[in-house]
Amino acid sequence: MISRRNFLSASALACGALATARIDPDFFFTSARAQSNRPITFLSAENITGNWDPTAHTTLSQTTIQGFVMGYLARAPMRPEDPGEMVMELATSIEQLDPHRLEIRLREDITFHDGKPFRAEDVKATFEYGSQPDRPAQWYPGSNETFEVTTPDDYTVIVDTSKGGYGAHLFIFLAAYLPIMSASDISGGPRGPLSQRLNGTGPFRFVEQRGNSTVMEAFPDYYKGHPTVEGVTFSFVGDATTRMLSLMNGQADIIERLEPEQFATLEGRDDIKLSRLVSVENKYLWFRCSKPPFDDWRVRRAACHAIDRTVIDEILGTAGEPSSNFISPIKFGYSDLANYPEYDPEECQRLLAEAGYPNGEGLPDLEYITSTGFYPKTRDYGEIITMLLREQGFPVTLNVMEVAAWNERLYDRPGGGPGHMIDCGWSTGSPEPDLVLRTHFHSSSKRICGIEDAEIDAALDRERNAATLEERRELLQTDLLPMLADKAPALSLFTSVMIHGMRAEMDGLFIYPDGLTDASKAVFST
C-alpha cells in the first residue's frame, strides 16, 4: 500500500525536472523565414457531442472549435496582470449608459460564412435565445424575461435590465463568452440549422465532421483578412501519450493538456515549442449535494478537511497552481479566502461526529468518479484523495472512466447525479465569475452538485444585483465566496494550467487561458 510520504517523494522527483522550464506563453512572434500555408492539425483531449448549437453543450472541445469558427462581441485575453481586459471584435464599443442600460456599437464590415451580413438583429437574437432557461450552456445573468434588447439601427444594440433589477454591467464580461449566432439560424429553433453545423463570422468556416475530426477551412472574407493557413483539422485523440507521439513525429501541429512528465520530455527539444498559461479553469471535487450524505454541509466540509491539497500540488507540478477560492485568479472578484477549508483531520472528525457519523461510522459506500485521458493526473491524485478520505473513515471507491462515459455521468439529475463525488473542471472564456458561481451554486441551475440552498441563492442574487462593479467585487469577496467556503458544495482542488505543445515551425498563434486559439495569423515557417 502506498503511503502519502512515499507518494510525495515520488512526485517531487518527477516534477523536479520541470522547475526551470522556459516558456513562451503567447506564440505571438512571426518568423521572417519562408512560410507555408498548409492546414493545422490540432489534437484534442475531449470528444464532441454532435450537436453544434453553441448553447446546447458545455463541452470544452466544441467551445475550442467555436473559437475558430464563430465571432464574439469582444475577446478577453485574461492575463493575470489585467484579468478584466476586453478587446473589441464584432463590437467597436460597449458602454454603460446608466445602471440598467448598455449600448453596444457594432462593426459594419462583417459577413457570416453563409453570406448573410452581420447586423444588430443577430446580437438581439443571440442574447434572447441564449438566455432561455432551458439552454444547457447557461451564460446569462437572468432569463430572457428579465431584460430587453432593442436595435435602434442595424449597428446599435441596447440592453435594458430594468425588469430584472440587476446591473447592465453584467453583460460586459459576457460579451467575450457567448458566440454570436445568425438570427436566421436561430429562427429554426434548437433542432434547426444551429444543431447541424456552425455558421459564424470567424477566420475559419465549418466544412464537415469526418469521424472524430472536425474539418474547417480558411474564410476568405474574414474581416481581418484571409488567414494564412488553409484551414484547421481538429481531431479527438483520447490518449495523452498518442497525442504527444503524434506531435513528436510531425503528424500533429498542436496538442493540448500535456501531462507534467510530457512537458519534461518535450522541454528543450528544438522541434517543439511549449506554452504554459494559468487558466480560467479551476478543478473541483463536486459533491452530490442532492442526496445523502453530502446533502449535509458538515459532511461535505469534513471531506474537504480530510484532503491535503499540498499533495495534489506536488503531483501536478507544472499542470496546476494552488487555489484557495472557487474561481480562478483571472476571474473578476478573485481573492484568497481566509476560511477556505484546509487539511485538518481533527476538524474533519469533529464535523463527522456532529453530523452523526463518528469516525465515519454509518456512512454509506461512496463512489468517486473521475476521468482519464483528458485532465492531467486525474487517476494519480484521485487515488491520493481516495486514500486520504479513507484515512478519516469515508468508505470511498474510485471509479476511473474514459472521457465519453465520464461526460455522460457528469450532471445532476432527479434523485441526484451518479456517484457521490465527481472530478471536473469548469472553463469559461470570460472574466465573468457567475459563469461558474451562478451556474453551479444557484438552485435554478445546480449543474453538477445539485445544491439547493436559500442562503446561497440570496448571496448570489445580492452580488448579481449590485449597482456597480466595485460594489459587486466587495459582495463577492466578503459575502458570497466566504459563504461557499463554509457550506462547501464543492472543493476547488487547484487552478488548472493550460499546457500546449506545438511544432517549432508554427508561429503567430494566440492561446487564451480557456484553451481557445486564435489562428487567424498563424503561419508555418520552413
Side-chain angles (χ1 to χ4, degrees):
M1 179 176 177
I2 189 169
S3 71
R4 188 178 342 136
R5 179 185 296 274
N6 290 339
F7 199 101
L8 265 172
S9 299
S11 295
L13 288 172
C15 297
L18 306 180
T20 59
R22 295 187 299 273
I23 305 152
D24 170 26
D26 293 335
F27 298 143
F28 254 152
F29 61 90
T30 299
S31 172
R33 295 175 289 172
Q35 297 171 352
S36 165
N37 64 351
R38 64 179 175 83
I40 296 170
T41 299
F42 188 124
L43 299 190
S44 166
E46 187 181 26
N47 62 307
I48 63 171
T49 68
N51 184 342
W52 290 108
D53 182 345
T55 73
H57 68 87
T58 58
T59 304
L60 192 57
S61 59
Q62 283 189 221
T63 303
T64 304
I65 293 169
Q66 288 166 195
F68 290 109
V69 175
M70 306 298 287
Y72 299 74
L73 291 175
R75 298 277 190 163
M78 292 178 291
R79 296 312 196 226
E81 60 272 15
D82 189 4
E85 179 187 5
M86 300 286 283
V87 179
M88 296 299 106
E89 186 173 301
L90 298 180
T92 59
S93 66
I94 301 175
E95 180 182 356
Q96 189 166 356
L97 302 177
D98 59 47
H100 294 297
R101 289 190 306 143
L102 197 71
E103 181 186 72
I104 305 170
R105 296 280 188 175
L106 305 176
R107 294 188 184 275
E108 300 185 12
D109 54 351
I110 307 295
T111 304
F112 280 95
H113 296 159
D114 66 357
K116 178 186 176 294
F118 164 67
R119 298 286 190 266
E121 65 179 19
D122 302 304
V123 178
K124 173 180 169 66
T126 295
F127 279 16
E128 292 175 346
Y129 177 68
S131 62
Q132 293 180 18
D134 65 347
R135 304 319 300 146
Q138 297 184 7
W139 65 277
Y140 49 87
S143 75
N144 55 354
E145 297 180 353
T146 66
F147 64 89
E148 183 179 7
V149 182
T150 56
T151 55
D153 58 58
D154 283 345
Y155 300 103
T156 305
V157 177
I158 303 294
V159 181
D160 189 326
T161 61
S162 300
K163 291 190 296 184
Y166 51 84
H169 58 76
L170 285 165
F171 280 83
I172 295 175
F173 291 144
L174 290 171
Y177 179 62
L178 187 70
I180 300 301
M181 295 166 276
S182 166
S184 60
D185 288 346
I186 291 172
S187 68
R191 297 184 180 180
L194 286 176
S195 67
Q196 298 159 17
R197 50 87 175 114
L198 289 173
N199 175 34
T201 60
F204 300 93
R205 72 175 189 88
F206 176 83
V207 176
E208 64 176 331
Q209 186 65 30
R210 194 180 297 159
N212 283 330
S213 296
T214 305
V215 181
M216 297 164 273
E217 67 180 19
F219 179 47
D221 295 325
Y222 182 52
Y223 80 100
K224 290 184 180 180
H226 195 308
T228 304
V229 295
E230 294 176 354
V232 179
T233 299
F234 188 93
S235 299
F236 167 53
V237 176
D239 181 68
T241 300
T242 301
R243 293 196 300 271
M244 183 185 72
L245 293 175
S246 297
L247 179 67
M248 294 172 67
N249 65 26
Q251 292 180 318
D253 299 308
I254 181 169
I255 63 173
E256 64 177 358
R257 295 190 179 270
L258 272 70
E259 301 275 356
E261 63 270 19
Q262 293 176 328
F263 189 104
T265 297
L266 297 175
E267 200 269 329
R269 286 181 58 119
D270 292 337
D271 59 340
I272 302 293
K273 293 189 295 193
L274 298 171
S275 166
R276 182 182 184 271
L277 287 172
V278 175
S279 83
V280 73
E281 173 189 77
N282 274 22
K283 197 73 187 300
Y284 305 88
L285 181 65
W286 303 93
F287 300 110
R288 301 297 198 188
C289 304
S290 52
K291 63 183 184 182
F294 292 123
D295 55 349
D296 187 330
W297 71 267
R298 295 168 297 184
V299 181
R300 301 194 300 265
R301 181 93 183 190
C304 294
H305 286 303
I307 298 170
D308 186 348
R309 289 181 294 118
T310 64
V311 181
I312 300 172
D313 295 337
E314 292 283 353
I315 294 169
L316 286 166
T318 55
E321 293 284 337
S323 171
S324 295
N325 202 314
F326 292 89
I327 53 176
S328 161
I330 54 178
K331 286 280 191 181
F332 176 79
Y334 174 87
S335 65
D336 288 329
L337 297 175
N339 66 327
Y340 200 78
E342 300 294 344
Y343 178 60
D344 188 340
E346 291 184 3
E347 181 65 4
C348 171
Q349 291 302 321
R350 187 190 73 78
L351 287 166
L352 280 176
E354 184 179 312
Y357 303 106
N359 299 310
E361 295 174 9
L363 284 171
D365 290 337
L366 303 173
E367 181 186 19
Y368 166 20
I369 300 172
T370 191
S371 63
T372 185
F374 181 40
Y375 297 110
K377 296 296 181 184
T378 45
R379 181 190 295 272
D380 294 341
Y381 71 71
E383 290 173 348
I384 291 299
I385 289 173
T386 300
M387 181 186 71
L388 291 168
L389 288 169
R390 286 175 178 169
E391 284 181 358
Q392 300 306 319
F394 289 87
V396 179
T397 298
L398 178 65
N399 187 355
V400 182
M401 296 182 165
E402 56 86 20
V403 175
W406 162 82
N407 252 325
E408 192 278 328
R409 290 162 175 79
L410 183 57
Y411 294 116
D412 183 58
R413 57 198 69 180
H420 300 85
M421 297 170 282
I422 190 163
D423 178 278
C424 183
W426 202 256
S427 181
T428 54
S430 166
E432 173 54 55
D434 272 2
L435 290 170
V436 177
L437 302 176
R438 195 172 189 88
T439 295
H440 290 290
F441 304 128
H442 197 278
S443 298
S444 63
S445 178
K446 57 182 183 180
R447 302 295 291 164
I448 298 177
C449 63
I451 193 165
E452 296 185 53
D453 186 300
E455 291 181 341
I456 294 177
D457 287 353
L460 280 160
D461 289 343
R462 283 193 293 272
E463 62 90 6
R464 182 195 66 168
N465 297 342
T468 66
L469 283 174
E470 290 72 21
E471 181 183 338
R472 189 179 181 215
R473 187 199 309 270
E474 178 72 13
L475 286 168
L476 282 163
Q477 294 180 348
T478 63
D479 182 21
L480 173 60
L481 291 167
M483 182 184 295
L484 290 174
D486 282 338
K487 292 178 179 283
L491 177 65
S492 181
L493 299 170
F494 55 89
T495 298
S496 296
V497 172
M498 288 286 178
I499 305 179
H500 289 73
M502 64 185 299
R503 301 293 302 170
E505 61 265 25
M506 176 178 285
D507 293 334
L509 288 182
F510 182 85
I511 299 177
Y512 290 87
D514 62 340
L516 267 66
T517 304
D518 182 354
S520 62
K521 301 299 182 184
V523 296
F524 289 101
S525 302
T526 57

